Amino acid sequence: MTVVVEGRAITRDYLVPGSLTRKAKTVHAVKGISFAVERGKTLAIVGESGSGKSTLARIIALIDPASGGELRIEGQPVDIASQRLTREMRSKVQMVFQNPYGSLNPRQKIGDVLMEPLLLNTDTPAAERRRRAEEMLVKVGLPVEVFNRYPHMFSGGQRQRIAIARALMLKPTLLVLDEPVSALDLSVQAQVLNLLADLQAEFNLAYVFISHDLSVVRYIADDVLVMNKGEAVEQGTREAVFAAPSHPYTRELFAATPITDVEAIRARVARRQALRAATI
Amino acid sequence: MSILNIRNLTVRFATSTGSFTAVDGIDVRVDKGEVLAIVGESGSGKSVSMLAAMGLLPDTATVTADEMTFDGQNLLAMSPRDRRRIIGREITMIFQEPIASLNPSFTAGYQIEEVLRYNAGMSKRDARARALELFKQVGIPEPEEKLKSYPHQMSGGQCQRVMIAMAIATGPRLLIADEPTTALDVTIQKQILDLLMKLQEQTGMALILITHDMGVVAETADRVQVQYKGKKMEEADVLSLFEAPKHPYTRALLSALPENATGDRLPTVSSFMVEPEVKV
Ligand SMILES: Nc1ncnc2c1ncn2[C@@H]1O[C@H](COP(=O)(O)OP(=O)(O)OP(=O)(O)O)[C@@H](O)[C@H]1O
Ligand SMILES: Nc1ncnc2c1ncn2[C@@H]1O[C@H](COP(=O)(O)OP(=O)(O)OP(=O)(O)O)[C@@H](O)[C@H]1O
Ligand SMILES: [Mg+2]
Ligand SMILES: [Mg+2]
């Protein structure tokens, strides 16, 4: 088993500059998290909003530096604050951002969005770049006709699939996905999750997968890390975490998951009708 | 009594490859005090139809409808000035991509205070106090601190709650919420849905909730409308929909829940629908 990415006691502080009306302060967004992801495996990170998931994701994806701790990619210590990334390292690790719209250049056509990583990081000839971009579009469930459209011409879920397609263009070893399916309806979500599973099997990809949807996590994860206020409050295999969640926050997560039980709907509808009758 | 009534809405976009019909003869009706959920696959025209009602589509869009009224007033024939008196005050919208909808150059507090001053006519001082109250209501941690923060200094879920606070700030009579809880974990999602439902019950506002989460539908909606490829497939009260979904697409939506995975494949809608693919 080869470990693709490993973090040891990773921390991240944000300095919030002061102004006339307030003092400068430090936010401790990630407070010493350790983890390892093996080739072909998926680590899911769940946790409350603001608990530091995206912050940790950007560190793992080599976009932001950590404030402390050590990050290793395939055994090599990597610190983007002190070393320049090689083209090879850059293509190995890719990220899908939580906010797909903000991560797409509004003036760049979708075809160019997909071909750009190949242009910048590889010596793939133009015709081949185009062929691979078209192939990827189809894989994420979009027709090739959209090649010349701009990002604003897509729906939320379509843009999210474009962001996923872009991250896959370089056939990375490690893919960090920040809420990649949260804007997708169940059918497209299933299509994307199936695609991710296929690619993982085909290329032995490692995933770090951030999600707040426990049913998705249960489907995709090998290991689960639960974050709360910058700390890992629970960490283990999917089976262990789902069978016996030990931290109160994890249990709260399970309890708050909405239910589609017909009896519960019936009770709620009756309550609303009574309320409406009372106010008329 | 309907508050919003749209009949036979069609939206076409001019694109480089010709005209594209995003919404194809859809009716949307919501009554005073009612919660209407709109569900449907990605790209089926959910956001575009609501943006059409708000008059917020780009110039490349052609909007036609047999009727489009808000509380009996014809939105189509209205002068832009009259329309502005309604949009943003009486009808507000929580946009699908919250981070992209906030202005990165201003603090969250400044942006919500502007809404309160210009759309609710409040004084600077009242607006400041009300903004803090709203931030507390939507459960933003350290609300005083976050009022002074810029969007990039907040997490995805925190930005989403800022957008929600802005949308409820003016006490609208119709709130259109486009995937309002996608960036939130289930515990905060529950808190936001409870808040919206409480507001709805207290003020009698109507709520249109666009979501792909059938759990959210089960826990909030009175009536549900199902869209597929720009058309309305099914409309039913919430109980009938879950008890006996009529249309194959609705059944597919309900069975595409990840907990229904067979082996390691997730069912997708195409495994239920036998229909020729329509061009996107
Ligand atoms: N640039 C920044 N400056 C100051 N504070 C920041 C900055 N970026 C994030 N934070 C704070 O750090 C904390 C963690 O943010 P992060 O975006 O990692 O959360 P998250 O777990 O991804 O949440 P969500 O589920 O809402 O996306 C939050 O409280 C946020 O306000
Ligand atoms: N400005 C535009 N120009 C051309 N096509 C557009 C434009 N805006 C939207 N579309 C197309 O209109 C269709 C409907 O988009 P819409 O955003 O309403 O989908 P949606 O149902 O909200 O999907 P999602 O669940 O993914 O958000 C999509 O196929 C999209 O590509
Ligand atoms: Mg985040
Ligand atoms: Mg949409």
Side-chain angles (χ1 to χ4, degrees), chain B residues 3-49:
Chain B
I3 183 127
L4 181 73
N5 198 359
I6 302 176
R7 282 191 304 115
N8 195 19
L9 172 71
T10 297
V11 180
R12 287 194 190 84
F13 288 103
T15 74
S16 55
T17 50
S19 159
F20 165 71
T21 307
V23 177
D24 192 0
I26 277 182
D27 297 343
V28 185
R29 192 200 85 233
V30 59
D31 289 342
K32 288 180 178 153
E34 189 184 35
V35 180
L36 170 73
I38 303 181
V39 300
E41 73 155 11
S42 176
S44 63
K46 305 182 296 293
S47 301
V48 166
S49 55

Side-chain angles (χ1 to χ4, degrees), chain A residues 105-138:
Chain A
N105 176 350
R107 276 180 288 278
Q108 195 174 31
K109 290 177 180 167
I110 294 317
D112 295 326
V113 167
L114 296 188
M115 293 189 297
E116 188 174 56
L118 295 176
L119 183 70
L120 296 179
N121 296 287
T122 70
D123 302 316
T124 319
E128 173 70 6
R129 287 202 295 270
R130 185 173 179 109
R131 195 190 60 74
R132 290 202 7 218
E134 289 182 350
E135 191 181 86
M136 191 56 79
L137 268 180
V138 175

Side-chain angles (χ1 to χ4, degrees), chain B residues 4-6 11 16 19 43 56 63 107 128 148 171 192 194:
Chain B
L4 181 73
N5 198 359
I6 302 176
V11 180
S16 55
S19 159
L56 294 177
V63 178
T107 62
R128 178 148 302 170
K148 297 178 203 149
I192 292 292
D194 288 348

Side-chain angles (χ1 to χ4, degrees), chain A residues 14 16 29 49-55 98, chain B residues 146 152-153 155-158:
Chain A
Y14 289 113
V16 182
S49 173
S51 60
K53 303 181 298 294
S54 297
T55 302
Q98 185 170 9
Chain B
K146 294 296 183 224
H152 78 271
Q153 296 173 323
S155 80
Q158 288 162 355

Side-chain angles (χ1 to χ4, degrees), chain A residues 16-17 21-22 25 47-50 98-102 143 145-146 148-149 152 155-159 161 179 181-191 193-194 197-198 212 215-216 219 249 252-253 256-260 262 265-266 268-269 271-272 275-276, chain B residues 15 33 35 40-43 96-97 99-100 142 145 148-149 153 155-158 161 181-190 197 200-201 212 214-222 238-239 242-243 249 253 256-259 261 264-269 279-280:
Chain A
V16 182
T21 50
R22 70 166 170 182
K25 72 172 230 178
E48 193 171 0
S49 173
Q98 185 170 9
N99 164 18
Y101 202 29
E145 290 91 89
V146 304
N148 288 320
R149 289 205 197 155
H152 78 271
S155 78
Q158 289 165 343
R159 274 198 285 271
R161 281 176 275 165
E179 303 279 6
V181 293
S182 60
L184 303 179
D185 73 284
L186 286 173
S187 160
V188 176
Q189 174 176 306
Q191 194 184 334
L193 292 176
N194 286 339
D198 291 346
H212 57 261
S215 57
V216 170
Y219 170 74
Y249 175 69
E252 209 183 302
L253 269 183
T257 301
I259 35 176
T260 50
V262 171
I265 300 173
R266 196 188 306 281
R268 184 181 62 80
V269 169
R271 192 187 63 78
R272 273 180 70 78
L275 188 91
R276 214 168 292 157
Chain B
T15 74
V35 180
E41 73 155 11
S42 176
Q96 189 170 1
E97 281 157 302
I99 314 179
E142 304 181 308
E145 196 63 41
K148 297 178 203 149
S149 299
Q153 296 173 323
S155 80
Q158 288 162 355
R161 281 173 278 171
T181 58
T182 43
L184 303 175
D185 74 278
V186 281
T187 59
I188 292 164
Q189 165 170 297
K190 188 163 176 6
M197 293 307 288
Q200 192 283 315
E201 286 173 0
H212 61 265
M214 295 309 272
V216 170
V217 174
E219 295 199 344
T220 54
D222 296 315
V238 65
L239 195 54
F242 280 88
E243 271 184 336
Y249 176 68
L253 259 187
L257 293 162
E259 45 262 40
D264 53 3
R265 299 301 288 178
L266 286 169
T268 60
V269 165
K279 274 190 185 176
V280 171

